[in-house]
Amino acid sequence: MEEYKDELGDVRSRPMWDEAGNPVHNPQAEAARADLIEHICAMPPIPTALDALLEHYGVTVVAEVTGRSKRLVRDGSGQQRLESRSPRTNLAETTAFMTGVKRILVFSDAGGTGRSYHASLDAKNQQRRVHFLLEPGWRADRAIQGLGRTHRTHQACPPLFRPVTTDCKGEARFTSTIARRLDALGALTRGQRQTGGQGMFDASDNLESIYAKHALHDWYGLLATAKLKSTTLSEFQRMSGLELTDQDGVLREDLPPIQRWLNRILAMKIAVQNAIFDEFLTLVETRVSAAKEAGTFDIGVETVPVEACEVLSDTVIRTDPVTGATSHLLELSLTQRRKVLSLERVLKMASYEEQPLFLRNDKSGKVALAVPAPSHMDEEGHMIRRYELVRPLRSEYLRADRLDESAWEPVTKSRFSALWEEEYAADESQLVTETVYLATGLLLPIWGALPKEDLTVNRIVDKSGASWLGRHVHDLYVDATLEKLGVARKAQTDPTKIAAAILGGGTWKAPHPLNFTIRTARVNGSRRIEIVDAEAARIPELKAKGCFTEIIAYKTRVFVPLDGAEAIIVGIAVPG
């Protein structure tokens, strides 16, 4: 190549020709090409995933159900031989897997039609299937069909789905497409989201969601202000070929959409891909977490299994004047069994970490396992490291810089195990009662009147099989919702039920003129019962009934002592 200047004075390059019109070749480049070809030809060929599995485990262990009519296999001497396969071979391989003769099954689209590989109660092999989703392709309906082969009715146990990806972050582009199409197809075929994707994918896996689109705008802004470490604005425009700024050097209003941005990222070097995706996925995680904390995150229909469900009240909030269809606000008392994490599982989680943190809270005496959580990114482009504190009953997130300032202190593994077993034994058999409100019936005409702070749609299912489907209404917004719809709320008159609901984790809104709310809260890691929004003039009256106060962050808060809480709550809830 030779350099030249065009009519604008810019330096450019073009192929070089000699005086006879023949192209001039670079001998160094030709030698480098020859060396590279020689090196590549000396390397062993990369086998396909199917052949690699057969080579590693052997044909005596792996059952292959595909559309191949021939395959290369190794015999006992290590020599390869060509093996022919008939249509009956797939039937024999399926039988070998379902009877437990062969423990591994590999099937393709051709082998995933008309067959079942689930842990059927009629089959000899009833062990849990671990379904690795490898090379799912682009068609979501085919992916759902393949997943359904190992997850069916009349099975001993449901399977575990494991989508397989590499450490190349650009592969998230393809996984994202599958996640989006699976969820969309589930919404079309079943009338609800979440079920289509089988719960395999998290919200941050879908790189074409509204949260990812907003995160991309944040990424563009950080790129323009030189706050990213992965690349600079000029380098990114040169590598991607995307024009992000106008003639004045300001970000354009019509920035490239996320689909085009993702496709251009795939053409970059792996190291650059990974660096850019790390920052972008961090911004997506930040957006998703913010939506969850604000209560505006839409997860579709969420199924809530409970031990028992009792309808405390049924209020008709609207009757359609044409069809006569009604809308209801149900007050439900849910009894749920605590889901306690066993010591075996938490120690297995710790084994995956290089330096697990076994912690104990000096104030509450509770223990937790700290594992690295996805980082967040602030407006200045700084990474915010976080930990997930795994506890027997729940998990919570804590910033790494605040961990040293908290009451959590490291303990030995043996001490951690002993304390965890104590908490597990204390919480394993306990039942929790909670009062929730559910708007059911004809919801479309009143959808705008329901609180916008909570968009959760729940399906509550009890042990008897009865179910209630509707939109969750937080108890803090029940009065305002009924007022919008012109419905008078019936006052709760049974103080014993009020006390039981609050102690079980529920919330009670006191009627006029009290207007305060009694609910459970966590203060410094310990569970308390708090009276919120109590007037200052009523604090002496509440203290006379057994409550106490604390000044936290320059604000007086009123609490009910846990010892004798039921009697105090009954005394507060009694009219007059």
Side-chain angles (χ1 to χ4, degrees), residues 54-354:
L54 292 173
E55 179 77 17
H56 182 77
Y57 293 103
V59 293
T60 59
V61 179
V62 180
E64 177 190 343
V65 183
T66 61
R68 297 200 299 182
S69 59
K70 294 181 180 180
R71 68 178 184 182
L72 284 173
V73 297
R74 291 188 182 275
D75 53 21
S77 61
Q79 299 294 326
Q80 285 188 336
R81 59 182 177 85
L82 186 64
E83 180 183 83
S84 299
R85 297 168 56 83
S86 64
R88 290 188 175 183
T89 305
N90 287 341
L91 180 60
E93 294 280 66
T94 302
T95 304
F97 174 73
M98 297 300 290
T99 57
V101 176
K102 294 186 176 182
R103 301 295 304 279
I104 301 175
L105 171 70
V106 181
F107 69 92
S108 62
D109 286 344
T113 304
R115 292 184 175 87
S116 298
Y117 309 118
H118 63 295
S120 174
L121 296 175
D122 298 330
K124 184 178 179 180
N125 182 8
Q126 296 183 7
Q127 292 185 336
R128 182 187 295 272
R129 273 52 169 165
V130 182
H131 190 151
F132 291 92
L133 183 62
L134 180 65
E135 298 178 0
W138 289 92
R139 295 188 57 179
D141 55 345
R142 293 287 183 88
I144 290 180
Q145 184 186 51
L147 296 174
R149 297 299 160 190
T150 55
H151 186 31
R152 298 197 167 194
T153 58
H154 196 63
Q155 61 185 0
C157 54
L160 297 177
F161 292 118
R162 296 284 187 259
V164 179
T165 58
T166 66
D167 57 356
C168 177
K169 298 299 178 66
E171 194 172 0
R173 169 73 170 105
F174 305 100
T175 306
S176 167
T177 303
I178 295 297
R180 177 179 59 82
R181 295 189 180 186
L182 282 176
D183 290 337
L185 188 60
L188 292 174
T189 58
R190 304 192 184 189
Q192 67 181 66
R193 294 174 300 279
Q194 183 187 15
T195 54
Q198 298 288 336
M200 291 190 306
F201 299 100
D202 188 72
S204 56
D205 294 327
N206 187 355
L207 302 184
E208 299 178 45
S209 64
I210 186 65
Y211 307 106
K213 293 177 181 178
H214 289 164
L216 180 59
H217 280 278
D218 297 340
W219 189 88
Y220 282 141
L222 294 173
L223 179 67
T225 54
K227 295 179 180 179
L228 296 179
K229 298 180 180 179
S230 60
T231 183
T232 62
L233 179 61
S234 59
E235 290 179 354
F236 181 78
Q237 292 186 123
R238 178 181 58 82
M239 291 185 296
S240 64
L242 298 174
E243 294 292 338
L244 305 181
T245 57
D246 54 19
Q247 297 179 352
D248 299 328
V250 182
L251 278 179
R252 298 167 50 184
E253 294 184 1
D254 55 337
L255 290 169
I258 191 166
Q259 292 85 356
R260 188 187 308 166
W261 181 83
L262 289 170
N263 291 336
R264 298 297 176 92
I265 295 294
L266 295 178
M268 300 180 183
K269 294 182 179 180
I270 300 298
V272 179
Q273 282 188 36
N274 292 348
I276 293 177
F277 265 100
D278 282 339
E279 295 172 339
F280 172 66
L281 295 177
T282 300
L283 291 172
V284 175
E285 182 67 31
T286 304
R287 281 280 185 173
V288 172
S289 298
K292 290 181 178 178
E293 293 176 1
T296 59
F297 180 70
D298 185 10
I299 60 174
V301 178
E302 182 180 8
T303 302
V304 181
V306 298
E307 295 289 327
C309 179
E310 179 185 358
V311 180
L312 300 179
S313 65
D314 184 352
T315 304
V316 178
I317 53 180
R318 183 184 182 274
T319 302
D320 190 81
V322 179
T323 62
T326 56
S327 306
H328 301 255
L329 182 65
L330 300 180
E331 183 183 3
L332 305 176
S333 176
L334 308 181
T335 302
Q336 297 175 279
R337 188 173 300 277
R338 292 177 180 268
K339 298 180 180 179
V340 190
L341 189 65
S342 65
L343 177 63
E344 180 184 359
R345 290 190 60 187
V346 74
L347 291 181
K348 188 175 182 180
M349 294 173 59
S351 64
Y352 297 145
E353 305 296 332
E354 295 182 0

Side-chain angles (χ1 to χ4, degrees), residues 21-38:
N22 300 317
V24 178
H25 298 287
N26 188 336
Q28 296 178 349
E30 289 184 327
R33 181 184 62 181
D35 293 340
L36 179 60
I37 294 176
E38 181 183 19

Side-chain angles (χ1 to χ4, degrees), residues 346-347 350 355-372 387-392 396 398-400 402-420 423:
V346 74
L347 291 181
Q355 295 180 346
L357 297 177
F358 300 104
L359 305 176
R360 176 184 177 274
N361 194 293
D362 285 344
K363 295 184 178 180
S364 64
K366 304 297 184 180
V367 292
L369 172 68
V371 295
Y387 283 102
E388 181 182 5
L389 300 183
V390 182
R391 304 175 65 179
E396 59 186 79
L398 186 66
R399 290 176 52 167
R402 295 178 181 174
L403 182 61
D404 296 334
E405 303 173 359
S406 65
W408 293 102
E409 298 292 339
V411 294
T412 61
K413 182 178 179 181
S414 58
R415 176 64 173 162
F416 171 85
S417 301
L419 294 174
W420 189 282
E423 290 189 42

